[in-house]
Amino acid sequence: KAAGANRLVVAGGVGANRALRETLNTACATRGVRVHYPELDLCTDNGAMIAALGSELVSAGRPASHLSFGADSSLPVTQIQV
């Protein structure tokens, strides 16, 4: 609330964490901040989605990346790195 925000939105896989929800609900309630979460079935893990895409690509004939392939979170999602 120090930054002037009166709402907090939690999304992604972390939004399914019940302990985090309880802690945030308590902390936000004491500060007058409304906290919003998607339904649990919409709190998907981004890593799982990337793995599913990789599985689809390999199943479609794309070669799998070598295990030494480096992770770079700044790569654009419009390209597939091989």
Side-chain angles (χ1 to χ4, degrees):
K1 185 95 176 181
N6 61 3
R7 291 179 187 214
L8 172 67
V9 176
V10 179
V14 71
N17 184 309
R18 284 181 169 61
L20 177 67
R21 284 182 179 227
E22 290 174 14
T23 300
L24 285 175
N25 288 341
T26 301
C28 288
T30 62
R31 292 168 177 81
V33 174
R34 292 179 60 190
V35 60
H36 304 272
Y37 311 92
E39 297 294 324
L40 283 175
D41 62 338
L42 297 176
C43 293
T44 55
D45 184 320
N46 293 341
M49 290 188 285
I50 296 302
L53 173 60
S55 175
E56 291 292 321
L57 291 171
V58 170
S59 293
R62 288 285 297 238
S65 298
H66 191 272
L67 292 178
S68 65
F69 182 78
D72 183 351
S73 63
S74 67
L75 289 174
V77 295
T78 57
Q79 295 180 336
I80 298 171
Q81 304 295 317
V82 186

